[in-house]
Amino acid sequence: MVREDEKKFNIKSYMTDMIIMLSCLSIMGVYLNGTRAILIILICVLSGIFFEGLVNLFIRKNVTSLVPDLSTIATSLMIALCMPVSVPFFVPVIGVFFAVVIGKIPFGNSDELIFVPAAVGLSFLSIAYSKDIFTFKAFEFVKIDVIGADNINA
């Protein structure tokens, strides 16, 4: 039988590993998309922490830290990485709200969830704001001049 404190430690360790993995993807997103990607990531993470703290305060849940198991940060990062850079800033906030308040907190801790909270938020956004989240900025690729490529008929 696993003790409750060991189970929480395992979840926190798992979420820490997930945040490390997602931060590698975040670095690549910032490299490709610039400072707006940083803003979207920060907005998502801060709004996730805010919404979880607000709900915990509202339901008077006694928590010792602001983010007890780091799952909100991982969920917020997942939503941020699924957003295009051109998305309005309020759209990821709404997605994080649905992920945390509708998909995570009503169902208990991170090990008892029946839905993936990030999928709940993204599902709502894909229905409500599909034009905003499915419109991506085209990357400008460097044209490489290949020797003899001018003679190829397309």
Side-chain angles (χ1 to χ4, degrees):
M1 190 78 185
V2 178
R3 291 188 339 217
E4 186 67 29
D5 58 342
E6 290 177 0
K7 191 163 68 170
K8 285 185 181 178
F9 174 75
N10 291 336
I11 292 170
K12 193 168 187 173
S13 173
Y14 174 75
M15 289 300 165
T16 302
D17 292 343
M18 187 177 286
I19 290 169
I20 291 169
M21 178 203 56
L22 290 170
S23 58
C24 294
L25 295 172
S26 300
I27 291 169
M28 191 63 188
V30 170
Y31 174 74
L32 290 174
N33 298 307
T35 56
R36 187 161 167 90
I38 295 174
L39 289 173
I40 292 173
I41 292 168
L42 284 175
I43 287 171
C44 283
V45 171
L46 292 176
S47 63
I49 293 170
F50 173 75
F51 290 136
E52 183 167 4
L54 190 68
V55 170
N56 286 339
L57 183 69
F58 180 71
I59 63 175
R60 298 182 191 272
K61 185 175 180 182
N62 189 12
V63 291
T64 56
S65 65
L66 192 58
V67 184
D69 61 356
L70 301 176
S71 65
T72 300
I73 295 174
T75 299
S76 301
L77 274 172
M78 285 183 230
I79 291 175
L81 291 174
C82 290
M83 294 292 114
V85 187
S86 60
V87 72
F89 289 134
F90 71 92
V91 173
V93 173
I94 294 171
V96 170
F97 172 81
F98 267 82
V100 173
V101 176
I102 308 293
K104 178 183 178 278
I105 291 180
F107 299 105
N109 294 331
S110 298
D111 59 338
E112 301 169 355
L113 297 175
I114 60 174
F115 303 113
V116 177
V120 172
L122 289 170
S123 297
F124 175 77
L125 290 179
S126 68
I127 294 169
Y129 299 99
S130 59
K131 182 181 176 214
D132 292 326
I133 68 167
F134 292 126
T135 305
F136 288 89
K137 176 183 99 173
F139 290 106
E140 296 177 12
F141 292 103
V142 177
K143 182 179 179 183
I144 300 173
D145 190 22
V146 179
I147 298 173
D150 295 333
N151 298 330
I152 298 175
N153 293 329

